[in-house]
Amino acid sequence: MQPYPQTPEQQTHKVSPAREAALWSLMRWQRDGQNARVESLVRESFAKFSLEPRDRALAMDLSYGVVRNLLNLDHVLSYFVIKTAKGVPPEIMNILRLSAYQILYLEKIPHRAAVHEAVEQAKSHKGHGSGGFVNAVLRALIRDLGRVSYPDPDKEPAKFLTLKYSFPDWLAERWLLRWGFDFTRDFMKASNQVPPISIRTNTLKTTRGELVAKFEEAGIECELSRFLPDSFNVRGANAVMDFPGFKEGLFAVQDEAAQLISMLIAPVAGERILDASAAPGGKSTHLASLSGGGAFVAAMDINYDKLRFLRDNTHRLGAERVLPVCADAAAPLPFADSFDGVLLDAPCSALGVIRRRPEIKYGRSESYINRLAALQERMLANLSGAVRKGGTLVYATCSVEPEEGERVIETFLAKNPEFYLDDPRPHLPEPVRELIEGNYLRTYPHRDGMDGFFGARIVRR
């Protein structure tokens, strides 16, 4: 089978730098392990391949798209790859995945272009024979896509969800037991979508109305948050640093769910607040903003380099009463009964933010969740000693797993009767109060349009 005929321009065609960058990112991701951050690798590829802004957007789309849909792409390709998967060189397999993603998911790229680019890329890496192989596979895929079938969702729901939405078996089975089929399917679909960029207005310097006007004047379409008075979302726009008002510190990028966690503290001027896992500073600077700049915020983190980045953020946003502190929230602390409010956004499985970090779903396990839950319990117990009598302790994770949410709180309260679970509704905007379940805040991407978070407000008697 011959490749598509080439135009004169294509006969001297060079491999697309965006596709080369995406291929390099995927190869590095597989080499470094599936916990490696795709975003970091793609951004590294920008400089390595000297990508222009348009190519950067494509490289990001292709890399993230393959990772998000990896199991589905491999399932589809298995119908057309004659060799066994082990017989296909890794570079060629990833070229096939990149091309299949374009064919199956990207309407803006013509099939002919996707095939041609893949053939040229395969030739450049593994020679003309590989180019012919890639051409044959992709043309068969386009011609005979109707051959691809999936397990019956009624008889094998977990297997269907795994192959259709690219989530590991154990997660599909776990969520089906807890949520049922429809909720699980909708959660997976939403977690595979590209999330918007959530903009939190820095009310220390401006208002949402004034900031939105600046964005729209720059040609950036804004969608106001239905939950938060100071937030709005943008899609398909430029790099964040190019947004109007970034250098002046008029806004921070922070998902709406993360903003809700800071609101549970309900800080006021004159209070002392400890943000116990603070870097890169989104919640610390939000606490400053919520208090009108009048609360003192100790922004603590174990990572000194991240604290330097946090310090830069506080200066840009004008949060002058945020003080970086390098310390371990799980180790003995040099203060007791010192803070009006303590916020612990604990290290977690991050299964609620898969739409932002798609690699997460491949690098987690039930044992990993249980190990983190033990750490979360230790950190919460340790930090409770820093809360004054009558003060507030807020616990949060960007996870949807009960072991990292309700069970941590239940264990803590059983061992610490001087604390009680408080009703968070009075401290949240009216539209958010419907998201409270048993005095716990829970958010989901498919239901609420924001990341999956858990939050609890505990008060010391």
Side-chain angles (χ1 to χ4, degrees), residues 267-281:
V268 297
E271 287 188 331
R272 291 179 294 182
I273 309 297
L274 173 64
D275 184 357
S277 186

Side-chain angles (χ1 to χ4, degrees), residues 53-232:
R54 183 176 178 180
D55 286 332
R56 291 182 180 186
L58 179 58
M60 185 75 79
D61 189 355
L62 295 178
S63 302
Y64 269 70
V66 169
V67 175
R68 283 190 176 102
N69 301 285
L70 182 63
L71 302 183
N72 176 252
L73 293 172
D74 283 359
H75 175 67
V76 172
L77 285 167
S78 70
Y79 282 79
F80 308 103
V81 175
I82 298 173
K83 300 178 181 180
T84 63
K86 292 183 179 179
V88 180
E91 294 93 337
I92 301 304
M93 196 65 212
N94 279 323
I95 289 170
L96 288 172
R97 288 167 176 148
L98 287 164
S99 307
Y101 170 69
Q102 295 168 65
I103 292 166
L104 298 173
Y105 292 94
L106 297 185
E107 295 181 359
K108 63 185 178 182
I109 297 179
H111 292 172
R112 178 183 294 268
V115 173
H116 175 73
E117 291 283 356
V119 170
E120 294 300 317
Q121 194 171 25
K123 288 179 184 177
S124 72
H125 284 272
K126 293 294 182 179
H128 282 268
S130 292
F133 170 70
V134 165
N135 177 69
V137 170
L138 295 178
R139 292 189 68 181
L141 185 156
I142 294 167
R143 183 182 62 248
D144 298 326
L145 186 57
R147 289 174 49 199
V148 178
S149 64
Y150 293 87
D152 186 332
D154 293 324
K155 296 178 180 178
E156 299 180 279
K159 192 172 182 182
F160 169 82
L161 292 170
T162 289
L163 297 178
K164 187 69 175 178
Y165 301 110
S166 297
F167 280 77
D169 288 338
W170 74 272
L171 273 177
E173 292 168 356
R174 178 185 181 89
W175 291 341
L176 281 168
L177 271 175
R178 190 191 322 153
W179 294 332
F181 184 84
D182 290 347
F183 195 101
T184 300
R185 177 201 59 210
D186 293 346
F187 178 84
M188 287 180 172
K189 287 173 67 175
S191 295
N192 280 344
Q193 299 302 308
V194 179
I197 299 173
S198 295
I199 303 295
R200 172 174 61 79
T201 306
N202 181 13
T203 54
L204 297 176
K205 294 188 174 185
T206 188
T207 65
R208 182 172 73 172
E210 292 172 347
L211 187 59
V212 166
K214 287 180 180 292
F215 272 60
E216 292 181 341
E217 186 179 343
I220 302 172
E221 187 174 345
C222 304
E223 179 185 359
L224 300 184
S225 168
R226 64 189 175 104
F227 292 111
L228 295 163
D230 299 321
S231 183
F232 60 93

Side-chain angles (χ1 to χ4, degrees), residues 65 74 81 97 99 103 132 148 179 191 193 242 282 295 303 334 340 387 389-390 401 411 413 425 447-448 454:
D74 283 359
V81 175
R97 288 167 176 148
S99 307
I103 292 166
V148 178
W179 294 332
S191 295
Q193 299 302 308
D242 295 331
N303 190 311
D340 301 284
V387 183
K389 292 181 179 180
E401 302 310 307
T411 299
L413 293 177
R425 291 173 182 84
R447 188 191 69 181
D448 311 315
F454 170 88

